[in-house]
PDB file of all heavy atoms in Angstrom:
ATOM      1  N   ALA B   1       0.837  -1.199   0.000  1.00  0.00           N
ATOM      2  CA  ALA B   1       0.000   0.000   0.000  1.00  0.00           C
ATOM      3  C   ALA B   1       0.872   1.249   0.000  1.00  0.00           C
ATOM      4  O   ALA B   1       0.569   2.231  -0.701  1.00  0.00           O
ATOM      5  CB  ALA B   1      -0.921  -0.001   1.221  1.00  0.00           C
ATOM      6  N   GLY B   2       1.941   1.220   0.762  1.00  0.00           N
ATOM      7  CA  GLY B   2       2.844   2.374   0.817  1.00  0.00           C
ATOM      8  C   GLY B   2       3.459   2.685  -0.525  1.00  0.00           C
ATOM      9  O   GLY B   2       3.584   3.858  -0.907  1.00  0.00           O
ATOM     10  N   ALA B   3       3.839   1.643  -1.271  1.00  0.00           N
ATOM     11  CA  ALA B   3       4.424   1.857  -2.600  1.00  0.00           C
ATOM     12  C   ALA B   3       3.417   2.518  -3.531  1.00  0.00           C
ATOM     13  O   ALA B   3       3.736   3.502  -4.210  1.00  0.00           O
ATOM     14  CB  ALA B   3       4.903   0.532  -3.188  1.00  0.00           C
ATOM     15  N   VAL B   4       2.189   2.010  -3.535  1.00  0.00           N
ATOM     16  CA  VAL B   4       1.155   2.563  -4.417  1.00  0.00           C
ATOM     17  C   VAL B   4       0.818   3.997  -4.023  1.00  0.00           C
ATOM     18  O   VAL B   4       0.788   4.904  -4.866  1.00  0.00           O
ATOM     19  CB  VAL B   4      -0.110   1.672  -4.396  1.00  0.00           C
ATOM     20  CG1 VAL B   4      -1.258   2.344  -5.121  1.00  0.00           C
ATOM     21  CG2 VAL B   4       0.190   0.307  -4.995  1.00  0.00           C
ATOM     22  N   ILE B   5       0.576   4.228  -2.735  1.00  0.00           N
ATOM     23  CA  ILE B   5       0.191   5.566  -2.278  1.00  0.00           C
ATOM     24  C   ILE B   5       1.330   6.553  -2.482  1.00  0.00           C
ATOM     25  O   ILE B   5       1.123   7.691  -2.930  1.00  0.00           O
ATOM     26  CB  ILE B   5      -0.260   5.529  -0.806  1.00  0.00           C
ATOM     27  CG1 ILE B   5      -1.553   4.703  -0.683  1.00  0.00           C
ATOM     28  CG2 ILE B   5      -0.471   6.937  -0.259  1.00  0.00           C
ATOM     29  CD1 ILE B   5      -1.922   4.344   0.744  1.00  0.00           C
ATOM     30  N   SER B   6       2.557   6.130  -2.207  1.00  0.00           N
ATOM     31  CA  SER B   6       3.715   7.004  -2.380  1.00  0.00           C
ATOM     32  C   SER B   6       3.897   7.401  -3.839  1.00  0.00           C
ATOM     33  O   SER B   6       4.141   8.570  -4.156  1.00  0.00           O
ATOM     34  CB  SER B   6       4.974   6.300  -1.859  1.00  0.00           C
ATOM     35  OG  SER B   6       6.091   7.135  -1.994  1.00  0.00           O
ATOM     36  N   MET B   7       3.761   6.429  -4.733  1.00  0.00           N
ATOM     37  CA  MET B   7       3.923   6.733  -6.159  1.00  0.00           C
ATOM     38  C   MET B   7       2.796   7.624  -6.667  1.00  0.00           C
ATOM     39  O   MET B   7       3.034   8.534  -7.459  1.00  0.00           O
ATOM     40  CB  MET B   7       4.028   5.444  -6.961  1.00  0.00           C
ATOM     41  CG  MET B   7       5.332   4.726  -6.712  1.00  0.00           C
ATOM     42  SD  MET B   7       5.378   3.142  -7.563  1.00  0.00           S
ATOM     43  CE  MET B   7       6.796   2.408  -6.770  1.00  0.00           C
ATOM     44  N   ARG B   8       1.572   7.377  -6.202  1.00  0.00           N
ATOM     45  CA  ARG B   8       0.455   8.245  -6.599  1.00  0.00           C
ATOM     46  C   ARG B   8       0.657   9.647  -6.040  1.00  0.00           C
ATOM     47  O   ARG B   8       0.363  10.641  -6.718  1.00  0.00           O
ATOM     48  CB  ARG B   8      -0.868   7.658  -6.133  1.00  0.00           C
ATOM     49  CG  ARG B   8      -1.263   6.423  -6.943  1.00  0.00           C
ATOM     50  CD  ARG B   8      -2.653   6.002  -6.697  1.00  0.00           C
ATOM     51  NE  ARG B   8      -3.576   7.042  -7.146  1.00  0.00           N
ATOM     52  CZ  ARG B   8      -4.834   7.101  -6.767  1.00  0.00           C
ATOM     53  NH1 ARG B   8      -5.334   6.184  -5.947  1.00  0.00           N
ATOM     54  NH2 ARG B   8      -5.624   8.051  -7.193  1.00  0.00           N
ATOM     55  N   ARG B   9       1.158   9.742  -4.811  1.00  0.00           N
ATOM     56  CA  ARG B   9       1.439  11.050  -4.211  1.00  0.00           C
ATOM     57  C   ARG B   9       2.473  11.788  -5.055  1.00  0.00           C
ATOM     58  O   ARG B   9       2.306  12.971  -5.372  1.00  0.00           O
ATOM     59  CB  ARG B   9       1.956  10.858  -2.787  1.00  0.00           C
ATOM     60  CG  ARG B   9       2.370  12.146  -2.090  1.00  0.00           C
ATOM     61  CD  ARG B   9       3.268  11.883  -0.902  1.00  0.00           C
ATOM     62  NE  ARG B   9       4.494  11.241  -1.356  1.00  0.00           N
ATOM     63  CZ  ARG B   9       5.205  10.395  -0.623  1.00  0.00           C
ATOM     64  NH1 ARG B   9       4.838  10.061   0.595  1.00  0.00           N
ATOM     65  NH2 ARG B   9       6.298   9.856  -1.109  1.00  0.00           N
ATOM     66  N   ASP B  10       3.541  11.078  -5.450  1.00  0.00           N
ATOM     67  CA  ASP B  10       4.603  11.702  -6.227  1.00  0.00           C
ATOM     68  C   ASP B  10       4.115  12.170  -7.600  1.00  0.00           C
ATOM     69  O   ASP B  10       4.643  13.123  -8.163  1.00  0.00           O
ATOM     70  CB  ASP B  10       5.782  10.746  -6.387  1.00  0.00           C
ATOM     71  CG  ASP B  10       6.487  10.464  -5.062  1.00  0.00           C
ATOM     72  OD1 ASP B  10       6.214  11.170  -4.060  1.00  0.00           O
ATOM     73  OD2 ASP B  10       7.300   9.519  -5.019  1.00  0.00           O
ATOM     74  N   LEU B  11       3.094  11.495  -8.121  1.00  0.00           N
ATOM     75  CA  LEU B  11       2.512  11.899  -9.401  1.00  0.00           C
ATOM     76  C   LEU B  11       1.468  12.997  -9.239  1.00  0.00           C
ATOM     77  O   LEU B  11       0.931  13.500 -10.218  1.00  0.00           O
ATOM     78  CB  LEU B  11       1.852  10.689 -10.085  1.00  0.00           C
ATOM     79  CG  LEU B  11       2.797   9.608 -10.589  1.00  0.00           C
ATOM     80  CD1 LEU B  11       2.001   8.382 -11.020  1.00  0.00           C
ATOM     81  CD2 LEU B  11       3.649  10.131 -11.733  1.00  0.00           C
ATOM     82  N   GLY B  12       1.158  13.359  -7.992  1.00  0.00           N
ATOM     83  CA  GLY B  12       0.127  14.355  -7.729  1.00  0.00           C
ATOM     84  C   GLY B  12      -1.261  13.827  -8.022  1.00  0.00           C
ATOM     85  O   GLY B  12      -2.166  14.576  -8.378  1.00  0.00           O
ATOM     86  N   ASP B  13      -1.450  12.517  -7.844  1.00  0.00           N
ATOM     87  CA  ASP B  13      -2.680  11.849  -8.257  1.00  0.00           C
ATOM     88  C   ASP B  13      -3.590  11.483  -7.081  1.00  0.00           C
ATOM     89  O   ASP B  13      -4.473  10.650  -7.223  1.00  0.00           O
ATOM     90  CB  ASP B  13      -2.295  10.582  -9.033  1.00  0.00           C
ATOM     91  CG  ASP B  13      -3.463   9.915  -9.708  1.00  0.00           C
ATOM     92  OD1 ASP B  13      -4.407  10.608 -10.097  1.00  0.00           O
ATOM     93  OD2 ASP B  13      -3.428   8.680  -9.840  1.00  0.00           O
ATOM     94  N   LEU B  14      -3.393  12.067  -5.921  1.00  0.00           N
ATOM     95  CA  LEU B  14      -4.216  11.695  -4.773  1.00  0.00           C
ATOM     96  C   LEU B  14      -5.393  12.629  -4.550  1.00  0.00           C
ATOM     97  O   LEU B  14      -6.364  12.260  -3.896  1.00  0.00           O
ATOM     98  CB  LEU B  14      -3.362  11.634  -3.504  1.00  0.00           C
ATOM     99  CG  LEU B  14      -2.363  10.486  -3.442  1.00  0.00           C
ATOM    100  CD1 LEU B  14      -1.577  10.549  -2.141  1.00  0.00           C
ATOM    101  CD2 LEU B  14      -3.053   9.150  -3.568  1.00  0.00           C
ATOM    102  N   GLY B  15      -5.313  13.818  -5.070  1.00  0.00           N
ATOM    103  CA  GLY B  15      -6.413  14.759  -4.883  1.00  0.00           C
ATOM    104  C   GLY B  15      -6.621  15.091  -3.422  1.00  0.00           C
ATOM    105  O   GLY B  15      -5.724  14.973  -2.594  1.00  0.00           O
ATOM    106  N   ALA B  16      -7.812  15.491  -3.068  1.00  0.00           N
ATOM    107  CA  ALA B  16      -8.150  15.867  -1.690  1.00  0.00           C
ATOM    108  C   ALA B  16      -8.726  14.647  -0.981  1.00  0.00           C
ATOM    109  O   ALA B  16      -9.925  14.530  -0.790  1.00  0.00           O
ATOM    110  CB  ALA B  16      -9.137  17.020  -1.690  1.00  0.00           C
ATOM    111  N   THR B  17      -7.856  13.723  -0.631  1.00  0.00           N
ATOM    112  CA  THR B  17      -8.318  12.505   0.038  1.00  0.00           C
ATOM    113  C   THR B  17      -8.143  12.632   1.542  1.00  0.00           C
ATOM    114  O   THR B  17      -7.370  13.443   2.028  1.00  0.00           O
ATOM    115  CB  THR B  17      -7.539  11.278  -0.453  1.00  0.00           C
ATOM    116  OG1 THR B  17      -6.153  11.469  -0.157  1.00  0.00           O
ATOM    117  CG2 THR B  17      -7.711  11.064  -1.944  1.00  0.00           C
ATOM    118  N   HIS B  18      -8.863  11.823   2.254  1.00  0.00           N
ATOM    119  CA  HIS B  18      -8.761  11.756   3.701  1.00  0.00           C
ATOM    120  C   HIS B  18      -8.512  10.297   4.074  1.00  0.00           C
ATOM    121  O   HIS B  18      -9.454   9.568   4.384  1.00  0.00           O
ATOM    122  CB  HIS B  18     -10.044  12.289   4.356  1.00  0.00           C
ATOM    123  CG  HIS B  18     -10.345  13.702   3.952  1.00  0.00           C
ATOM    124  ND1 HIS B  18      -9.630  14.770   4.429  1.00  0.00           N
ATOM    125  CD2 HIS B  18     -11.247  14.198   3.087  1.00  0.00           C
ATOM    126  CE1 HIS B  18     -10.093  15.874   3.884  1.00  0.00           C
ATOM    127  NE2 HIS B  18     -11.074  15.563   3.062  1.00  0.00           N
ATOM    128  N   PRO B  19      -7.242   9.888   4.006  1.00  0.00           N
ATOM    129  CA  PRO B  19      -6.938   8.470   4.211  1.00  0.00           C
ATOM    130  C   PRO B  19      -7.131   8.029   5.657  1.00  0.00           C
ATOM    131  O   PRO B  19      -7.079   8.832   6.581  1.00  0.00           O
ATOM    132  CB  PRO B  19      -5.468   8.367   3.810  1.00  0.00           C
ATOM    133  CG  PRO B  19      -4.923   9.728   4.092  1.00  0.00           C
ATOM    134  CD  PRO B  19      -6.051  10.677   3.768  1.00  0.00           C
ATOM    135  N   SER B  20      -7.340   6.732   5.807  1.00  0.00           N
ATOM    136  CA  SER B  20      -7.388   6.147   7.142  1.00  0.00           C
ATOM    137  C   SER B  20      -6.002   6.289   7.769  1.00  0.00           C
ATOM    138  O   SER B  20      -5.015   6.534   7.063  1.00  0.00           O
ATOM    139  CB  SER B  20      -7.754   4.671   7.049  1.00  0.00           C
ATOM    140  OG  SER B  20      -6.685   3.951   6.449  1.00  0.00           O
ATOM    141  N   PRO B  21      -5.889   6.126   9.087  1.00  0.00           N
ATOM    142  CA  PRO B  21      -4.566   6.183   9.714  1.00  0.00           C
ATOM    143  C   PRO B  21      -3.582   5.177   9.115  1.00  0.00           C
ATOM    144  O   PRO B  21      -2.411   5.494   8.914  1.00  0.00           O
ATOM    145  CB  PRO B  21      -4.857   5.892  11.183  1.00  0.00           C
ATOM    146  CG  PRO B  21      -6.257   6.383  11.384  1.00  0.00           C
ATOM    147  CD  PRO B  21      -6.965   6.045  10.093  1.00  0.00           C
ATOM    148  N   ALA B  22      -4.054   3.967   8.811  1.00  0.00           N
ATOM    149  CA  ALA B  22      -3.158   2.962   8.226  1.00  0.00           C
ATOM    150  C   ALA B  22      -2.691   3.391   6.837  1.00  0.00           C
ATOM    151  O   ALA B  22      -1.515   3.224   6.491  1.00  0.00           O
ATOM    152  CB  ALA B  22      -3.860   1.611   8.155  1.00  0.00           C
ATOM    153  N   ALA B  23      -3.605   3.956   6.034  1.00  0.00           N
ATOM    154  CA  ALA B  23      -3.228   4.421   4.706  1.00  0.00           C
ATOM    155  C   ALA B  23      -2.291   5.627   4.783  1.00  0.00           C
ATOM    156  O   ALA B  23      -1.408   5.788   3.948  1.00  0.00           O
ATOM    157  CB  ALA B  23      -4.473   4.756   3.888  1.00  0.00           C
ATOM    158  N   ALA B  24      -2.477   6.467   5.768  1.00  0.00           N
ATOM    159  CA  ALA B  24      -1.594   7.619   5.936  1.00  0.00           C
ATOM    160  C   ALA B  24      -0.192   7.186   6.364  1.00  0.00           C
ATOM    161  O   ALA B  24       0.798   7.807   5.983  1.00  0.00           O
ATOM    162  CB  ALA B  24      -2.187   8.585   6.954  1.00  0.00           C
ATOM    163  N   ALA B  25      -0.097   6.104   7.143  1.00  0.00           N
ATOM    164  CA  ALA B  25       1.203   5.624   7.624  1.00  0.00           C
ATOM    165  C   ALA B  25       1.951   4.813   6.565  1.00  0.00           C
ATOM    166  O   ALA B  25       3.176   4.756   6.582  1.00  0.00           O
ATOM    167  CB  ALA B  25       1.014   4.780   8.879  1.00  0.00           C
ATOM    168  N   ALA B  26       1.229   4.182   5.660  1.00  0.00           N
ATOM    169  CA  ALA B  26       1.852   3.278   4.693  1.00  0.00           C
ATOM    170  C   ALA B  26       2.965   3.924   3.862  1.00  0.00           C
ATOM    171  O   ALA B  26       4.025   3.312   3.693  1.00  0.00           O
ATOM    172  CB  ALA B  26       0.780   2.662   3.791  1.00  0.00           C
ATOM    173  N   PRO B  27       2.792   5.139   3.329  1.00  0.00           N
ATOM    174  CA  PRO B  27       3.891   5.728   2.565  1.00  0.00           C
ATOM    175  C   PRO B  27       5.152   5.947   3.396  1.00  0.00           C
ATOM    176  O   PRO B  27       6.267   5.826   2.875  1.00  0.00           O
ATOM    177  CB  PRO B  27       3.328   7.059   2.067  1.00  0.00           C
ATOM    178  CG  PRO B  27       1.866   6.926   2.161  1.00  0.00           C
ATOM    179  CD  PRO B  27       1.598   5.981   3.275  1.00  0.00           C
ATOM    180  N   ALA B  28       4.989   6.250   4.674  1.00  0.00           N
ATOM    181  CA  ALA B  28       6.174   6.426   5.532  1.00  0.00           C
ATOM    182  C   ALA B  28       6.926   5.110   5.683  1.00  0.00           C
ATOM    183  O   ALA B  28       8.163   5.095   5.687  1.00  0.00           O
ATOM    184  CB  ALA B  28       5.757   6.965   6.901  1.00  0.00           C
ATOM    185  N   VAL B  29       6.179   4.007   5.795  1.00  0.00           N
ATOM    186  CA  VAL B  29       6.829   2.688   5.872  1.00  0.00           C
ATOM    187  C   VAL B  29       7.593   2.440   4.578  1.00  0.00           C
ATOM    188  O   VAL B  29       8.768   2.051   4.591  1.00  0.00           O
ATOM    189  CB  VAL B  29       5.790   1.576   6.127  1.00  0.00           C
ATOM    190  CG1 VAL B  29       6.418   0.198   6.017  1.00  0.00           C
ATOM    191  CG2 VAL B  29       5.124   1.763   7.481  1.00  0.00           C
ATOM    192  N   TRP B  30       6.953   2.666   3.446  1.00  0.00           N
ATOM    193  CA  TRP B  30       7.592   2.449   2.148  1.00  0.00           C
ATOM    194  C   TRP B  30       8.804   3.370   1.970  1.00  0.00           C
ATOM    195  O   TRP B  30       9.886   2.918   1.580  1.00  0.00           O
ATOM    196  CB  TRP B  30       6.598   2.684   1.017  1.00  0.00           C
ATOM    197  CG  TRP B  30       7.250   2.656  -0.325  1.00  0.00           C
ATOM    198  CD1 TRP B  30       7.531   3.721  -1.118  1.00  0.00           C
ATOM    199  CD2 TRP B  30       7.739   1.503  -1.000  1.00  0.00           C
ATOM    200  NE1 TRP B  30       8.166   3.305  -2.253  1.00  0.00           N
ATOM    201  CE2 TRP B  30       8.308   1.940  -2.210  1.00  0.00           C
ATOM    202  CE3 TRP B  30       7.765   0.144  -0.705  1.00  0.00           C
ATOM    203  CZ2 TRP B  30       8.880   1.073  -3.134  1.00  0.00           C
ATOM    204  CZ3 TRP B  30       8.333  -0.727  -1.623  1.00  0.00           C
ATOM    205  CH2 TRP B  30       8.887  -0.262  -2.821  1.00  0.00           C
ATOM    206  N   ASP B  31       8.618   4.659   2.238  1.00  0.00           N
ATOM    207  CA  ASP B  31       9.679   5.643   1.995  1.00  0.00           C
ATOM    208  C   ASP B  31      10.916   5.413   2.846  1.00  0.00           C
ATOM    209  O   ASP B  31      12.004   5.854   2.486  1.00  0.00           O
ATOM    210  CB  ASP B  31       9.152   7.064   2.235  1.00  0.00           C
ATOM    211  CG  ASP B  31       8.106   7.483   1.205  1.00  0.00           C
ATOM    212  OD1 ASP B  31       8.024   6.870   0.122  1.00  0.00           O
ATOM    213  OD2 ASP B  31       7.344   8.424   1.503  1.00  0.00           O
ATOM    214  N   THR B  32      10.771   4.736   3.982  1.00  0.00           N
ATOM    215  CA  THR B  32      11.914   4.521   4.877  1.00  0.00           C
ATOM    216  C   THR B  32      12.454   3.099   4.816  1.00  0.00           C
ATOM    217  O   THR B  32      13.320   2.741   5.614  1.00  0.00           O
ATOM    218  CB  THR B  32      11.549   4.868   6.334  1.00  0.00           C
ATOM    219  OG1 THR B  32      10.442   4.053   6.741  1.00  0.00           O
ATOM    220  CG2 THR B  32      11.189   6.338   6.469  1.00  0.00           C
ATOM    221  N   THR B  33      11.979   2.310   3.870  1.00  0.00           N
ATOM    222  CA  THR B  33      12.467   0.942   3.714  1.00  0.00           C
ATOM    223  C   THR B  33      13.461   0.917   2.565  1.00  0.00           C
ATOM    224  O   THR B  33      13.082   1.032   1.395  1.00  0.00           O
ATOM    225  CB  THR B  33      11.297  -0.031   3.442  1.00  0.00           C
ATOM    226  OG1 THR B  33      10.396   0.036   4.549  1.00  0.00           O
ATOM    227  CG2 THR B  33      11.788  -1.450   3.288  1.00  0.00           C
ATOM    228  N   ALA B  34      14.738   0.762   2.900  1.00  0.00           N
ATOM    229  CA  ALA B  34      15.792   0.809   1.892  1.00  0.00           C
ATOM    230  C   ALA B  34      15.791  -0.421   0.986  1.00  0.00           C
ATOM    231  O   ALA B  34      16.114  -0.319  -0.196  1.00  0.00           O
ATOM    232  CB  ALA B  34      17.152   0.960   2.563  1.00  0.00           C
ATOM    233  N   ASP B  35      15.427  -1.580   1.521  1.00  0.00           N
ATOM    234  CA  ASP B  35      15.495  -2.826   0.765  1.00  0.00           C
ATOM    235  C   ASP B  35      14.213  -3.633   0.976  1.00  0.00           C
ATOM    236  O   ASP B  35      14.176  -4.556   1.793  1.00  0.00           O
ATOM    237  CB  ASP B  35      16.725  -3.623   1.206  1.00  0.00           C
ATOM    238  CG  ASP B  35      16.970  -4.863   0.378  1.00  0.00           C
ATOM    239  OD1 ASP B  35      16.194  -5.138  -0.567  1.00  0.00           O
ATOM    240  OD2 ASP B  35      17.944  -5.576   0.679  1.00  0.00           O
ATOM    241  N   PRO B  36      13.150  -3.288   0.240  1.00  0.00           N
ATOM    242  CA  PRO B  36      11.867  -3.970   0.441  1.00  0.00           C
ATOM    243  C   PRO B  36      11.938  -5.481   0.251  1.00  0.00           C
ATOM    244  O   PRO B  36      11.274  -6.230   0.958  1.00  0.00           O
ATOM    245  CB  PRO B  36      10.950  -3.337  -0.600  1.00  0.00           C
ATOM    246  CG  PRO B  36      11.565  -2.021  -0.897  1.00  0.00           C
ATOM    247  CD  PRO B  36      13.035  -2.210  -0.740  1.00  0.00           C
TER     248      PRO B  36
END
C-alpha cells in the first residue's frame, strides 16, 4: 500500500483525500524501507 500511495502522491494523483490512519502511515513505511 505504501508503494502505491507514495507513487500516486509523487505523481500528484491523490487529490483531496482523507486516508485512514493505516493508509496515511503506509507511505512512511515504504519511503523509509531501503530494501523492500
Side-chain angles (χ1 to χ4, degrees):
V4 171
I5 294 167
S6 181
M7 290 175 193
R8 288 192 64 197
R9 176 198 62 210
D10 293 348
L11 291 170
D13 189 31
L14 290 180
T17 60
H18 302 286
S20 69
V29 172
W30 172 255
D31 293 341
T32 59
T33 300
D35 186 0

